[in-house]
Amino acid sequence: MEDKLIIKGVEFKSRLWVGTGKYKDFEETKRAVEASGTDVVTVAVRRVNIVDRKSENLLDYIDPKKYKILPNTAGCYTVEEALRYARLAREAGISDLIKLEVIGDEKTLFPDVCGLLKATETLAKEGFIVLPYTNDDPIVAKRLVDAGAAAVMPLGAPIGSGLGIRNPYNIKIILETVDVPVIVDAGVGTASDATVAMELGCDAVLINTGIAGAKDPVAMAEAMKHAVIAGRLAYKAGRIPKKLYATASSPIEGML
């Protein structure tokens, strides 16, 4: 209960955040979100209806009173697009939180760093709590914080790849470089990947495809919940040093 994640005064109960894309229907989305134990649900403003309450709406299945809705600008390839959809979500009364994406390439879905920095600065000045999706570059992470980012969300691997944490050393350097929460976003494929991210010291993990694309999304959501909890506990407990040779687990001093 004392291990709280707080970003710009907003308190989060869960360190597992869940995306809502790629499920077969809203009902499966609802069941997976419930199984994950999360209190943060991300929604692509450009792709999923959360604004028009007159037609079928994700928010009919995901209760905004129970979950923090984190709008994101997924699918935006220009600064102007990203700003537009961020503002649209806030004007609809969704949230001041925004997961900011400015994509630079259709094949890799890597971020457009220059555009991301510009959009972060603009939205931060407008009072948004900006959480930018970025690559695993410590220098870029620092620049984003300087531009007003409330947290940074480096990729573990390309979006939807399921490759896991490809460069844990860069993630570690980011953790040492910035003084805001670090949330791994993209690339997590299974529970052990989530545990690795948390054991590195990350503050949270955002997962979409790793859950939605599983054979049993609801079961995988529950697995991810336990993985994040285990990884966080292991990080706080402090692992033993790695050694090349064996060390006896039972004391041998004084033995005949």
Side-chain angles (χ1 to χ4, degrees), residues 69 89 111:
I69 306 301

Side-chain angles (χ1 to χ4, degrees), residues 252-256:
I252 59 174
E253 291 80 4
M255 295 180 63
L256 297 177

Side-chain angles (χ1 to χ4, degrees), residues 15-248:
R15 292 177 183 269
L16 170 60
W17 297 5
V18 177
T20 53
K22 302 183 179 180
Y23 293 92
K24 68 179 182 181
D25 53 36
F26 283 155
E27 185 58 40
E28 183 179 71
T29 307
K30 177 183 178 181
R31 291 189 294 115
V33 168
E34 289 174 348
S36 74
T38 190
D39 67 331
V40 183
V41 177
T42 69
V43 181
V45 182
R46 182 169 184 166
R47 296 171 177 164
V48 179
N49 175 32
I50 57 172
V51 177
D52 181 8
R53 300 308 300 270
K54 297 178 182 179
S55 57
E56 186 178 36
N57 192 301
L58 177 64
L59 301 186
D60 295 331
Y61 296 82
I62 305 297
D63 186 354
K65 295 179 181 178
K66 183 177 179 181
Y67 301 99
K68 292 180 177 66
I69 306 301
L70 175 59
N72 71 61
T73 60
C76 293
Y77 286 81
T78 67
V79 172
E80 291 71 24
E81 281 184 315
L83 295 178
R84 177 190 173 194
Y85 284 101
R87 291 163 178 160
L88 181 63
R90 184 161 73 173
E91 288 169 5
I94 304 301
S95 179
D96 287 334
L97 291 162
I98 189 70
K99 181 200 163 191
L100 179 62
E101 296 186 27
V102 182
I103 302 300
D105 176 67
E106 290 187 13
K107 184 176 182 179
T108 63
L109 299 181
F110 286 153
D112 173 354
V113 172
C114 294
L116 187 64
L117 284 165
K118 183 176 180 180
T120 296
E121 185 173 20
T122 298
L123 291 174
K125 287 179 178 178
E126 293 180 9
F128 283 87
I129 300 174
V130 186
L131 314 177
Y133 157 72
T134 182
N135 54 25
D136 59 357
D137 184 333
I139 304 304
V140 173
K142 179 64 167 60
R143 295 287 183 269
L144 287 166
V145 175
D146 293 342
V152 291
M153 304 183 73
L155 54 84
I159 292 174
S161 67
L163 290 172
I165 311 301
R166 292 294 81 202
N167 198 335
Y169 306 104
N170 272 24
I171 300 294
K172 285 288 288 183
I173 296 172
I174 290 173
L175 286 161
E176 295 174 0
T177 301
V178 302
D179 57 0
V180 299
V182 176
I183 302 160
V184 164
D185 177 18
V188 172
T190 191
S192 58
D193 299 332
T195 302
V196 167
M198 297 305 295
E199 287 179 345
L200 287 171
C202 294
D203 295 277
V205 179
L206 172 58
I207 306 172
N208 190 170
T209 307
I211 295 174
K215 291 181 180 179
D216 186 338
V218 177
M220 184 60 81
E222 184 173 1
M224 294 295 190
K225 174 179 72 174
H226 295 300
V228 168
I229 291 171
R232 179 65 179 175
L233 287 173
Y235 169 72
K236 293 186 69 181
R239 66 160 293 136
I240 64 171
K242 295 181 179 180
K243 298 180 179 180
L244 183 60
Y245 296 103
T247 302

